[in-house]
Amino acid sequence: GVNSQIYSRSGGYMGLSFAIPAAVAVSVTDQLKAHGKVQHGRLGIGVQGLDQTLAQSFGLEDANGALVGSVEKDSAAAKAGFKSGDVIRKIDGTVVVDSTDITSRIGNTKPGTTIKVEVWRDGKPVELTATVGALDDGKVASAGNDTETKGKLGVAVRALTPEEQKSAGRTGVLVEKSGGAAAKAGVEPGDGIVGVGTTRINTPAELKAQVDKAGKTVALLIDRQGRQIFVPVKIG
């Protein structure tokens, strides 16, 4: 059997120790995980899965890995140099399958552990070294001039006002109307577009310029209620 400390409701130890069968120990551990009493690792990034379309827009041959949408300020990931648009391909030399793979692997890493992460950035692999933070370090993740950029994307956007930029804590443009290719891809009015691929955009003109030089698929970095996700839009 294994010794297991029993937690009191307040989260402190009651100092009791029992010999319990291993199977029970596992479920206790799972409960501790569920109730956040065990320290989990975290990097401070928002990741999403890749599909073939998104992978192609970043110049990848396969859809293994996960795409970094947002990097929290002052987080372990920010210190390690992660950027929005990085595709995490390997952790400590082991291939990453998808975003849940990353979440579980980082979550099961002891805070303070140093890991090597291979990301795909601007068409080539880059190795980053990150020191995993603790789960409780993080905060809970909780718009100008009108320009019609109907064009290939099918959206009408405007720049954020200084007040909107301040309250949202970001730059970018606001989607006022969505039709055509963008609507098919799931872009909605009220979404913010903060980037195209790995390039940040701040004005409708910058958005148009990036879309004009894109290939058949463009990956828009969308900010929806404070969550950043890449949305692949087929434009050609």
Side-chain angles (χ1 to χ4, degrees), residues 14-15 17 19 34 49 55 65 73 96 98 129 165 179 197-198 207 220:
M14 285 162 74
S17 185
K73 214 173 135 203
V96 168
D98 55 25
T129 303
Q165 285 186 16
T198 52
L207 173 63
L220 298 181

Side-chain angles (χ1 to χ4, degrees), residues 66-96:
L67 184 55
V68 176
S70 54
V71 180
E72 280 173 33
K73 214 173 135 203
D74 304 327
S75 65
K79 291 184 185 113
F82 280 85
K83 291 183 178 164
S84 162
D86 283 350
V87 179
I88 298 177
R89 298 283 281 177
K90 290 179 184 174
I91 297 175
D92 283 338
T94 308
V95 173
V96 168

Side-chain angles (χ1 to χ4, degrees), residues 145-229:
N145 46 355
D146 282 1
T147 312
E148 294 279 325
T149 53
K150 280 277 191 266
K152 294 182 189 174
L153 272 186
V155 289
V157 296
R158 67 170 174 79
L160 294 180
T161 66
E163 291 76 31
E164 284 170 331
Q165 285 186 16
K166 205 168 159 193
S167 74
R170 63 170 177 80
T171 55
V173 297
L174 185 71
V175 176
E176 298 199 295
K177 294 186 196 115
S178 180
K184 270 198 203 97
V187 179
E188 302 166 2
D191 284 346
I193 301 177
V194 292
V196 177
T198 52
T199 308
R200 291 277 162 163
I201 59 115
N202 295 314
T203 64
E206 286 173 12
L207 173 63
K208 187 173 184 314
Q210 288 301 319
V211 171
D212 283 348
K213 69 181 203 194
K216 291 185 172 152
T217 308
V218 59
L220 298 181
L221 183 56
I222 300 285
D223 187 298
R224 184 173 292 168
Q225 294 163 340
R227 266 199 73 210
Q228 292 193 353
I229 53 168

